[in-house]
Amino acid sequence: MRITFDGAAQTVTGSQHLFQINGSRLLVECGFYQGRRQESYDRNCNFPFDPTKIDAVILSHAHIDHSGNLPNLVKQGYQGQIYATPATAHLANIMLMDSGHIQEEDAEFVNKRKLKKGEPAIEPIYTREEAALVAQYFSPVKYDQTFEPVPGVRAKLVDAGHILGAGAVVLDINENGHQTRVWFSGDIGRRGLLLLRDPILPDWADTLIMECTYGDRPHQDPQQAYEELRQVVGRTLERKGKVIIPSFAVGRTQEIVYALHQMFEKHQLPSVPVYVDSPLAVNASDIFKMHPECFDEQTKAFIKADKHHAALGFDRLIYTRSVEESKALNHRKDPMIIISASGMAESGRILHHLRNNIGNRKNTILIVSWQAPYTLGRRLADRDKKVRIFGEEFEVKAEVVTIGGLSSHAGQNFLTEYAMQLKGKVKQMFLVHGEPKAAEALSEKLVQAGMEKPAYPKRGETVEITA
Ligand SMILES: [Zn+2]
């Protein structure tokens, strides 16, 4: 068997790993590479293999850096199955369509400039319509259900506790009568996240391929983050302000809605309207409601006991779909909570809400996820006194608060615990999906704990695995 690390190798983006087993080609992940514009364009449009020669695809979860290049794979001739949990398949469909829309807008923006310079126009990396074609290839498999993606491979997805439907990919491989197990972690979640079950730890494997996004950082306890959320929202509502939360549409939004729902039920917060104002977040919330099988026991018990019989629905929660509904919020003066995308405040409806509320000391802008450099979200998180929105300068008078403990990724301690399950059992280990600093710090921890130093393959590197 050979594994080629084609993406998320020595970086966190564009996850893509090619397995060659018994003469078949199995692709695990087909992620979108996000980096500088031209590099992203070239990488995403040109696969390092022939898409028509891939026999099967397994997808660990719906995040775009794992699923986002499936439209190109299909566009370039892939016609096999895409195995994923039912929730992942559902979420991926809406996220890919959204991504197609973004690619179209991006190409339009670039082409305006190219036109001025008399340069030829570019095509979008893929369109919304092309993204919609992926849906027909999904072959949903439940957690722990065994399937045979290619001859000689028995595969299953086990709960990764990262986002709805996320799984680790376990491959039991029989090659020429030799048996070997590969455990691909996908993105590893955390214990104690709202809605989701805790990640399943590996029991045994000959080969471990593991993510290391936060290999150099321990995380704060999620409970502490929820407590901070309660305090910030509480003091803002007390001074009759609005809480504006830029949030990723899938995952973080639903987690915050559920956290607020619990706080309202316990009368820890005064009852105010909560608006989820992002079409993708609204669609994603519908998909969450369709997949209660992914919820943890606490959430199931909450739903059973709750008067609304829902984790993501309560009297004063309003999902706004239309632009008119969204704009109507601009004229409201009463205290409220608005959760809107994009998560880094780069585009989308959140920009209107920030523009309208940033200049009022009563309000709070609440940052609930990591913000990439040079984004508006990062400028706010860095406490810039003035920011530009829609080309206009605004003084930041609203309170800005960052809650750091809400990551859906395992921190260093849990990553270590995850790998240590296989101490004395695993024959080879590869770190992927992490920057060099993170991989190095985690390697060091594992070596200190008595494990072999893991490999950290470069992009395009192929390794031979013998059973
Ligand atoms: Zn992820």
Side-chain angles (χ1 to χ4, degrees), residues 66 79 286 325 331:
H66 296 256
Q79 291 189 331
D286 284 343
E325 284 173 288
H331 308 294

Side-chain angles (χ1 to χ4, degrees), residues 61 63 65-66 162-163 187 408-409 433:
H61 67 290
H63 276 151
D65 62 322
H66 296 256
H162 168 62
I163 61 160
D187 284 359
S408 57
H409 274 276
H433 203 288

Side-chain angles (χ1 to χ4, degrees), residues 2-198:
R2 292 159 76 185
I3 308 172
T4 307
F5 300 91
D6 282 323
Q10 304 202 345
T11 182
V12 291
T13 179
S15 190
Q16 206 158 276
H17 308 287
L18 181 65
F19 287 70
Q20 296 180 62
I21 307 163
N22 294 321
S24 300
R25 289 162 161 252
L26 169 65
L27 187 64
V28 175
E29 318 278 58
C30 187
F32 199 68
Y33 178 82
Q34 285 160 307
R36 278 190 291 266
R37 181 175 266 124
Q38 190 59 45
E39 191 189 6
S40 305
Y41 196 87
D42 295 342
R43 273 237 215 152
N44 289 315
C45 294
N46 301 296
F47 288 98
F49 46 76
D50 179 354
T52 64
K53 302 258 160 63
I54 300 292
D55 298 291
V57 175
I58 305 178
L59 178 61
S60 73
H61 67 290
H63 276 151
I64 287 297
D65 62 322
H66 296 256
S67 70
N69 217 16
L70 285 168
N72 267 329
L73 196 76
V74 167
K75 187 173 159 182
Q76 295 180 26
Y78 177 70
Q79 291 189 331
Q81 308 285 321
I82 302 166
Y83 296 94
T85 63
T88 294
H90 270 148
L91 280 180
N93 285 336
I94 61 162
M95 291 173 78
L96 292 174
M97 303 263 278
D98 185 68
S99 173
H101 180 67
I102 294 168
Q103 304 318 316
E104 286 177 34
E105 282 188 337
D106 209 48
E108 209 175 297
F109 174 80
V110 171
N111 286 339
K112 263 186 207 153
R113 285 201 296 189
K114 286 200 177 273
L115 191 72
K116 275 190 202 152
K117 291 191 204 156
E119 292 173 8
I122 57 156
E123 291 287 316
I125 297 180
Y126 54 83
T127 63
R128 199 181 149 86
E129 213 171 298
E130 285 162 346
L133 296 175
V134 173
Q136 61 191 307
Y137 297 99
F138 273 114
S139 183
V141 281
K142 290 185 188 141
Y143 283 125
D144 303 315
Q145 183 190 324
T146 313
F147 58 99
E148 192 175 358
V150 293
V153 177
R154 284 163 54 84
K156 65 177 179 179
L157 291 153
V158 300
D159 204 330
H162 168 62
I163 61 160
L164 193 85
V169 182
V170 185
L171 303 172
D172 284 310
I173 297 163
N174 187 328
E175 207 174 28
N176 309 319
H178 295 288
Q179 202 64 35
T180 188
R181 171 178 273 197
V182 177
W183 185 291
F184 172 75
S185 73
D187 284 359
I188 304 169
R190 307 171 63 189
R191 290 199 182 100
L193 286 183
L194 288 183
L195 297 166
L196 304 176
R197 284 188 291 264
D198 292 346

Side-chain angles (χ1 to χ4, degrees), residues 197-432:
R197 284 188 291 264
D198 292 346
I200 305 271
L201 294 165
D203 45 6
W204 67 271
D206 302 295
T207 303
L208 175 64
I209 304 171
M210 189 178 128
E211 72 119 324
C212 62
T213 317
Y214 290 106
D216 55 345
R217 259 171 289 173
H219 281 326
Q220 190 190 26
D221 178 15
Q223 283 313 316
Q224 204 179 323
Y226 300 133
E227 175 52 27
E228 281 174 37
L229 174 70
R230 190 188 65 76
Q231 288 175 10
V232 175
V233 173
R235 70 171 176 261
T236 310
L237 298 180
E238 214 164 273
R239 60 179 186 242
K240 307 274 183 259
K242 293 183 190 172
V243 184
I244 311 293
I245 311 179
S247 171
F248 294 111
V250 181
R252 189 58 39 84
T253 292
Q254 290 75 25
E255 191 183 346
I256 289 175
V257 164
Y258 179 42
L260 292 171
H261 186 182
Q262 288 178 318
M263 291 168 199
F264 290 129
E265 290 308 314
K266 289 183 199 154
H267 304 288
Q268 293 173 331
L269 291 173
S271 176
V272 297
V274 178
Y275 291 91
V276 172
D277 186 28
S278 140
L280 181 61
V282 175
N283 291 335
S285 299
D286 284 343
I287 290 172
F288 270 67
K289 290 175 207 163
M290 283 160 65
H291 291 283
E293 78 280 4
C294 296
F295 293 159
D296 63 4
E297 290 310 313
Q298 292 95 308
T299 308
K300 285 179 187 165
F302 179 89
I303 293 170
K304 216 170 158 195
D306 178 53
K307 62 176 179 289
H308 317 90
H309 295 297
L312 303 175
F314 49 93
D315 299 336
R316 308 203 71 185
L317 175 69
I318 301 118
Y319 289 99
T320 55
R321 282 187 190 272
S322 73
V323 178
E324 292 71 43
E325 284 173 288
S326 171
K327 284 194 174 151
L329 296 177
N330 293 343
H331 308 294
R332 297 267 301 271
K333 296 273 179 282
D334 49 320
M336 61 175 72
I337 301 167
I338 301 174
I339 306 167
S340 187
S342 71
M344 297 192 197
E346 275 304 88
S347 57
R349 295 181 183 178
I350 187 67
L351 291 176
H352 294 276
H353 299 304
L354 288 173
R355 180 172 64 178
N356 275 294
N357 295 292
I358 203 163
N360 187 332
R361 285 180 208 287
K362 280 199 234 166
N363 300 333
T364 296
I365 298 162
L366 182 53
I367 309 283
V368 290
S369 59
W370 181 78
Q371 304 292 316
Y374 310 114
T375 59
L376 174 58
R378 170 61 80 91
R379 292 196 171 93
L380 291 166
D382 285 348
R383 305 294 187 270
D384 282 12
K385 295 267 179 292
K386 286 177 183 165
V387 292
R388 293 187 84 79
I389 306 173
F390 295 123
E392 204 183 322
E393 193 171 80
F394 289 86
E395 202 178 328
V396 183
K397 290 187 183 156
E399 183 184 357
V400 179
V401 179
T402 306
I403 297 183
L406 288 173
S407 176
S408 57
H409 274 276
Q412 188 187 51
N413 294 341
F414 192 60
L415 289 173
T416 307
E417 186 183 337
Y418 195 93
M420 287 295 285
Q421 300 298 310
L422 298 176
K423 189 181 172 185
K425 301 179 200 168
V426 72
K427 292 178 192 147
Q428 54 259 306
M429 180 174 166
F430 301 94
L431 293 181
V432 296

